[in-house]
Amino acid sequence: MRLFPFFSSLGLLLVMIISNGLDSPEPRLRSVANFPVGVAVSPQRLAQTDYAQTVGSEFSSLTAENVMKPQYIWAAEREYDFSAGDSVVAFAENHSQQIHGHTLVWHMMKPTWLRNTIESYDSATLENLLRDYIQSVVKHYQGKVISWDVVNEAIASEGNGMRNSFYHQKLGDDYVARCHQYAREADPDALLFYNDYDVVANPEKLKTILAMVDDFQARNIPIDGIGLQMHIGLDFSLDQFQHALEEVSSRNLKVHLSEVDIRANPDGKSDGLTEEAAQKQRELMADIVRIYSQLPEKNKFAITFWGLRDSDSWLTQHTGHSQWPLPFDENYGKKPMYQGFLEGLEGNQTKLD
Ligand code: 9MR
């Protein structure tokens, strides 16, 4: 009898161990979604332990927020520096993550040397340099970067035609198509995306992009998908979203929600994320994921957050206020927006193991 207390506490301990073991582990975005879930990262942040741990465990896809842009890689005429981009690739390889390349051509953030010399190039010289750049980068990352934003934001902000950028002025209306051809020649397996903002909210821009896609497809110019950036606010229209997804997928293209963040402080008046805004973010995130999940499998490419934590977001600097736009808070806590992502998946897809 005197042994009973011993055995009973041993039993309790065993029950605790077993039931803890049986508790389902906390879900991770990368294991509950049957499409890749991505995040934009920087090598500096990946060097921080908690950041690396969260990125490695939660996400199945990475985009370099900046270091695969020409500003970082294009060191001089026909000289390329891949060191920062390579460190993102090494992290992804260690964590079995895919990499989406962003971006081969962008009118913004050109390297300083190019900004200074671009005026002096004639069209043929600029075209040759750009071709060499695109093909060198795509070849360098062949087999590692599975997809590229080839040209970013080539359509005018108003949406009514091509942006009057320097590339457009020098290289003409068809330069986006030629960039796609150069990329395809360099790596026939890489998926090629056109990426832009406000595509859902601006019907004119959507129309212009779809006309470009139709023209590419009629001429056999390679294009595999559209990146809808999704820098959005709480007033985002789900009807317009549904419409954009239908238009893109009916053209047999993949849809990448490529730069998701949801502003929760539009007028800049909040000094903390209110419960009401956090719940609205959660509901909107759930609706977006639910609608995206219902796309045919072949049209789903990935959903990528434009940063991990609220404190990492470009929007703080851009809008002058914190917008709390991302799924994690600054202490790596999962926000209601994160739960919203999980809720959007529920019942809408076959779960992966
Ligand atoms: O988030 C990026 C920020 O850190 C950079 O300073 C900026 C300029 O290179 O680019 C930001 O990312 C942009 C992306 O490359 C293209 N779509 C809009 C994004 C926000 O500006």
Side-chain angles (χ1 to χ4, degrees):
M1 288 299 283
R2 282 179 48 220
L3 285 178
F4 178 73
F6 171 75
F7 282 120
S8 80
S9 32
L10 187 67
L12 187 63
L13 190 67
L14 279 174
V15 167
M16 281 170 64
I17 290 170
I18 289 167
S19 65
N20 261 345
L22 291 178
D23 262 359
S24 44
E26 277 198 36
R28 304 288 187 184
L29 299 177
R30 68 180 289 169
S31 49
V32 290
N34 68 3
F35 51 83
V37 186
V39 61
V41 297
S42 74
Q44 289 81 356
R45 294 191 180 119
L46 286 175
Q48 297 162 23
T49 312
D50 290 347
Y51 183 93
Q53 206 272 328
T54 309
V55 168
S57 59
E58 291 282 353
F59 295 94
S60 43
S61 175
L62 300 186
T63 303
E65 182 170 356
N66 288 305
V67 298
M68 287 190 190
K69 291 174 181 171
Q71 188 194 358
Y72 282 80
I73 295 180
W74 207 349
E77 280 189 20
R78 296 173 199 275
E79 276 179 44
Y80 310 118
D81 177 357
F82 296 112
S83 51
D86 287 355
S87 71
V88 175
V89 171
F91 183 95
E93 283 176 345
N94 284 334
H95 295 83
S96 309
Q97 293 161 318
Q98 70 180 43
I99 300 207
H100 174 71
H102 173 82
T103 172
L104 295 168
V105 182
W106 193 19
H107 63 285
M108 299 267 289
M109 310 305 289
K110 291 189 283 293
T112 314
W113 70 267
L114 181 59
R115 274 210 300 274
N116 293 337
T117 49
I118 201 164
E119 297 278 355
S120 67
Y121 293 133
D122 60 27
S123 299
T125 308
L126 183 62
E127 178 101 14
N128 283 335
L129 284 176
L130 194 61
R131 177 184 191 150
D132 190 73
Y133 176 79
I134 291 171
Q135 299 201 318
S136 303
V137 175
V138 171
K139 281 216 170 83
H140 177 82
Y141 288 117
Q142 187 163 16
K144 297 179 172 168
V145 168
I146 65 150
S147 52
W148 282 99
D149 291 332
V150 181
V151 184
N152 189 45
E153 302 169 7
I155 305 299
S157 290
E158 307 73 41
N160 51 355
M162 296 295 286
R163 180 185 296 280
N164 186 25
S165 70
F166 203 81
Y167 287 125
H168 181 247
Q169 288 168 20
K170 284 266 175 178
L171 307 178
D173 264 346
D174 211 25
Y175 85 98
V176 179
R178 294 199 303 279
C179 291
H180 276 242
Q181 287 171 319
Y182 298 151
R184 178 56 45 94
E185 278 168 25
D187 178 359
D189 294 328
L191 297 171
L192 306 180
F193 284 77
Y194 175 73
N195 190 54
D196 214 328
Y197 60 87
D198 265 358
V199 183
V200 173
N202 180 345
E204 191 69 17
K205 202 168 196 178
L206 176 62
K207 208 168 113 199
T208 304
I209 291 171
L210 294 173
M212 181 176 77
V213 166
D214 291 341
D215 168 56
F216 280 16
Q217 291 184 331
R219 291 191 290 143
N220 275 327
I221 305 291
I223 181 161
D224 302 293
I226 298 293
L228 306 174
Q229 292 187 5
M230 305 284 287
H231 298 295
I232 61 174
L234 294 170
D235 56 355
F236 184 69
S237 158
L238 295 172
D239 287 342
Q240 285 182 312
F241 180 54
Q242 179 94 51
H243 173 67
L245 295 194
E246 279 164 12
E247 290 284 8
V248 174
S249 52
S250 72
R251 285 161 174 83
N252 204 20
L253 293 178
K254 294 183 185 302
V255 183
H256 185 194
L257 306 187
S258 56
E259 304 184 13
V260 176
D261 45 38
I262 307 178
R263 291 184 300 278
N265 188 16
D267 53 14
K269 289 195 178 133
S270 299
D271 51 14
L273 178 61
T274 62
E275 184 53 27
E276 192 194 347
Q279 290 309 326
K280 281 193 181 151
Q281 255 184 342
R282 171 188 193 146
E283 282 163 27
L284 181 54
M285 186 80 258
D287 286 337
I288 287 169
V289 172
R290 179 175 47 77
I291 293 170
Y292 185 81
S293 295
Q294 288 163 358
L295 277 176
E297 295 305 313
K298 64 179 172 40
N299 300 111
K300 279 186 263 191
F301 180 69
I303 297 183
T304 299
F305 289 102
W306 206 240
L308 179 71
R309 299 169 299 169
D310 288 339
S311 49
D312 301 323
S313 173
W314 70 290
L315 284 166
T316 309
Q317 202 184 0
H318 182 71
T319 68
H321 307 279
S322 185
Q323 296 291 342
W324 302 285
L326 292 169
F328 289 86
D329 66 27
E330 65 180 315
N331 300 314
Y332 304 95
K334 295 172 180 174
K335 291 170 56 198
M337 182 176 166
Y338 178 104
Q339 304 305 334
F341 195 104
L342 299 180
E343 287 156 13
L345 293 174
E346 280 165 20
N348 285 306
Q349 57 164 21
T350 330
K351 283 188 182 164
L352 292 183
D353 288 337

